[in-house]
Amino acid sequence: MTDAPPPAPTAPAPATPAPDAPRVQLRTPRQWVSLALGVALLFTGCVLAGRWQWNRHVDRDAQIAVIEANYASQPVPIDELLDGPGDVVPASEAWRQVTVTGRYDADKTVLLRNRPVEGQAAFHVLVPFVTDEGTVIVVNRGWVPYGADSATPASLPAPPSGDVELTLRLRADEPAADNGAPPGQAQAINTAQVLAAGPDGAAWAQGRTYSGYGVLAAEDGQPVQGLGTPPVPDTDPRSHLSYAFQWWVFAVGGVAGFLVLIRRERRDATLDALGDLPHPFAALGDQDRGREPEAGGDAGTHGQRGATRSPGSSARRRGRQSAEEIEDALIDSSSTR
């Protein structure tokens, strides 16, 4: 009895190919719309913020120009700048020096509180001044430090009695303060509020005041005695200009980042479309690595040097594009179709 031949091996059934999964996860149109809207909002917000800072820079620059032009100006009689009671000090005349002649009404002195000088708690001394023409202007004579508490000053030198000629720097009235103050004190240099804080109220000066006050520069040509000199106006331009450019750089950066994202998405889509196709320029690197050493050179040395060279660098030295550069050119041309 002969043995039966073994059964022939059966070929395995072909496996059902799995559906190709995407090689890269591309963004959906809805995601692109969301990104575009976000970039548009970012761009608009940054541009507006930069514009706001630019306007603040322009305003601050104009203020500094007025201070530098007027602070050291030659004094002129106040009648040359203000016609009479009720006149408002123009912004262009802020810090302009004027002269007035008359008398202090020392009994109606008012203290300005919560206005420190160089970090030191201080009261500013505000005294009504009645000119020879009968008009009334509030004068900031200077400042004194706090006393034992924040309710009273350490000392309060009296202004000179009798007729005196003052050199003042004009300022527009500050906005009226909403918060109250103890009797004889004020929270802002506002003519109506300062006069109202005096012992007799403001009725006595009704219709005789300017809409502005004066910062004392000299009394009868001499600096004031016993009081701290009012601080020099601040001419620091601050950082508005640099902030404006920073916001605009952010706006440009947001748009540039969005464009880079679009380019990368197109590149990924092109590579995904190539799938498993052989790289059309893969043979270039093999040809470069198999090239014989140049004549006249040391083969061993040339081999060592060649080992440290990249295919792209040797191709560029021979005036040809590298495989990577050709690949980028192919992808760019495909993405623009």
Side-chain angles (χ1 to χ4, degrees):
M1 181 176 179
T2 59
D3 295 334
T10 58
T16 303
D20 292 337
R23 298 173 180 273
V24 291
Q25 187 67 37
L26 302 179
R27 291 176 176 82
T28 64
R30 182 175 181 178
Q31 289 175 325
W32 278 114
V33 170
S34 300
L35 281 173
L37 290 176
V39 171
L41 290 175
L42 174 66
F43 179 83
T44 303
C46 290
V47 169
L48 292 178
R51 182 65 179 174
W52 174 64
Q53 288 290 352
W54 172 262
N55 290 336
R56 295 188 67 186
H57 162 71
V58 172
D59 293 342
R60 182 59 183 162
D61 198 50
Q63 293 173 3
I64 293 173
V66 169
I67 293 172
E68 292 176 344
N70 294 345
Y71 192 78
S73 61
Q74 290 297 320
V76 298
I78 193 172
D79 297 341
E80 293 187 13
L81 300 181
L82 301 177
D83 293 333
D87 273 10
V88 178
V89 177
S92 60
E93 303 296 345
W95 299 104
R96 183 79 180 273
Q97 292 197 90
V98 297
T99 56
V100 291
T101 303
R103 293 170 173 264
Y104 281 114
D105 198 337
D107 293 338
K108 298 177 175 59
T109 298
V110 172
L111 299 178
L112 175 69
R113 60 186 292 109
N114 295 330
R115 195 68 59 91
V117 178
E118 296 181 354
Q120 180 177 0
F123 288 109
H124 290 247
V125 182
L126 310 178
V127 187
F129 187 84
V130 183
T131 68
D132 292 339
E133 290 76 19
T135 55
V136 178
I137 184 170
V138 173
V139 176
N140 181 357
R141 296 190 66 233
W143 60 275
V144 291
Y146 278 8
D149 52 40
S150 61
T152 57
S155 62
L156 188 58
S161 59
D163 290 340
V164 59
E165 182 184 69
L166 304 183
T167 301
L168 305 175
R169 292 187 172 93
L170 288 179
R171 297 297 313 278
D173 273 350
E174 297 176 358
D178 297 332
N179 49 340
Q185 299 182 14
Q187 298 280 9
I189 310 181
N190 179 278
T191 298
Q193 286 192 330
V194 170
L195 295 178
D200 299 329
W204 67 275
Q206 187 72 32
R208 299 165 57 190
T209 62
Y210 298 106
S211 289
Y213 66 97
V215 179
L216 184 62
E219 291 173 337
D220 284 333
Q222 300 297 321
V224 66
Q225 301 295 321
L227 293 173
T229 304
V232 176
D234 180 19
T235 56
D236 182 6
R238 303 190 176 96
S239 301
H240 302 307
L241 182 60
S242 63
Y243 289 158
F245 283 113
Q246 287 177 20
W247 280 115
W248 290 333
V249 167
F250 292 156
V252 174
V255 174
F258 185 67
L259 296 177
V260 170
L261 196 62
I262 293 175
R263 178 179 173 82
R264 288 182 177 176
E265 186 86 356
R266 288 180 176 177
R267 183 185 297 270
D268 291 343
T270 302
L271 291 175
D272 185 64
L274 289 175
D276 292 329
L277 293 177
H279 197 289
F281 304 104
L284 290 178
D286 297 337
Q287 293 176 5
D288 290 337
R289 287 192 292 273
R291 185 177 297 277
E292 293 295 333
E294 296 180 1
D298 185 355
T301 305
H302 180 80
Q304 293 175 357
R305 292 178 180 175
T308 61
R309 298 177 183 172
S310 65
S313 62
S314 67
R316 283 191 295 271
R317 274 192 288 273
R318 289 190 294 274
R320 297 185 353 205
Q321 288 182 309
S322 67
E324 290 82 357
E325 292 171 336
I326 298 175
E327 177 187 358
D328 290 340
L330 175 63
I331 294 173
D332 291 340
S333 63
S334 300
S335 62
T336 56
R337 291 177 184 173

